[in-house]
Amino acid sequence: FQRLTSYHEINNLIWIWNGQSESYLVPENTYDIASVDVYLEPEMEYGSRYEQFQALKILTGGRKLLALSECSALPDPEMMQIDHSVWSFFGLWYGDYLMNPDGTFRDDYYSSNDLYNLYNSELALSLNDFRSTYQ
């Protein structure tokens, strides 16, 4: 942070803190988005991850955007809305979570239908949605 902002004077970066707990918390003025990694076993319902959302919200005093920086499954947009736990973005893990060794889709954590429904949900903002709104 200091190297880029002070030494190189680059001040248009978005900083993401992913410390997972208060013991790793950095000064509030050094990050814009707080995030967590949430990995569950394949048979577990992912839902909104309300508990992690609320814990992170409390940890940051509700003053930061909150994100799932890494996740093993798809968050459920309807549950996020019901629980008031709307993550700003999620980073779906890759490799064995997504593909079989032969390159076919792996559906242990979510189905191709789940992916389709999430990316086409009225509650999700895709790159195409963004482009059509802001261009």
Side-chain angles (χ1 to χ4, degrees), residues 11-81:
N11 296 303
N12 62 344
L13 301 172
I14 296 173
W15 294 93
I16 300 175
W17 169 73
N18 181 333
Q20 307 289 333
S21 74
E22 188 173 10
S23 59
Y24 297 106
L25 192 58
V26 297
E28 186 175 326
N29 67 338
T30 62
Y31 69 100
D32 305 296
I33 300 171
S35 67
V36 294
D37 301 342
V38 180
Y39 289 92
L40 302 177
E41 294 301 318
E43 66 278 356
M44 296 178 75
E45 285 290 321
Y46 204 85
S48 69
R49 304 318 311 154
Y50 172 82
E51 298 83 5
Q52 288 91 344
F53 185 91
Q54 291 303 321
L56 195 56
K57 184 176 179 180
I58 290 167
L59 185 63
T60 62
R63 294 181 296 274
K64 300 292 180 177
L65 284 173
L66 305 179
L68 286 168
S69 47
E70 294 180 7
C71 54
S72 60
L74 301 167
D76 182 326
E78 287 80 21
M79 290 305 301
M80 288 189 294
Q81 186 176 39

